Amino acid sequence: ATFTDKSMIELMLAHGADPEVRDSAGAGVLFVTPPYLVESIQVLLKRGADPRIRTETGATALHAYASAYYGTRKRGWEG
């Protein structure tokens, strides 16, 4: 399991992990959770992760997800 697996996230939250923790650039956990891990994102949102958290450059998790989606479509990797 990795730190972004749903079961690992649930375990960490059950033991007191902060769903609004940020890295040194201000990115929250939603920002660094891969967009294809929908169940993990749902757990984080239900447990209080704020999707409006912005990085130092003003980006939110939605910006990161849209950028990842656009990047894969641009390279022809869409499903």
Side-chain angles (χ1 to χ4, degrees):
T2 66
F3 75 95
T4 55
D5 287 335
K6 178 186 171 197
S7 59
M8 185 60 72
I9 290 172
E10 289 173 332
L11 180 66
M12 290 187 297
L13 292 170
H15 285 87
D18 182 358
E20 291 196 11
V21 69
R22 298 178 187 208
D23 67 12
S24 61
V29 293
L30 290 172
F31 193 92
V32 298
T33 302
Y36 55 84
L37 294 178
V38 176
E39 290 182 349
S40 296
I41 293 168
Q42 289 172 334
V43 168
L44 289 166
L45 289 169
K46 286 178 184 175
R47 294 293 302 268
D50 187 351
R52 299 168 295 180
I53 289 177
R54 293 183 178 271
T55 64
E56 292 174 346
T57 61
T60 66
L62 183 57
H63 292 117
Y65 299 160
S67 178
Y69 175 76
Y70 176 74
T72 58
R73 285 186 52 90
K74 188 174 182 181
R75 290 186 292 271
W77 296 348
E78 69 270 15

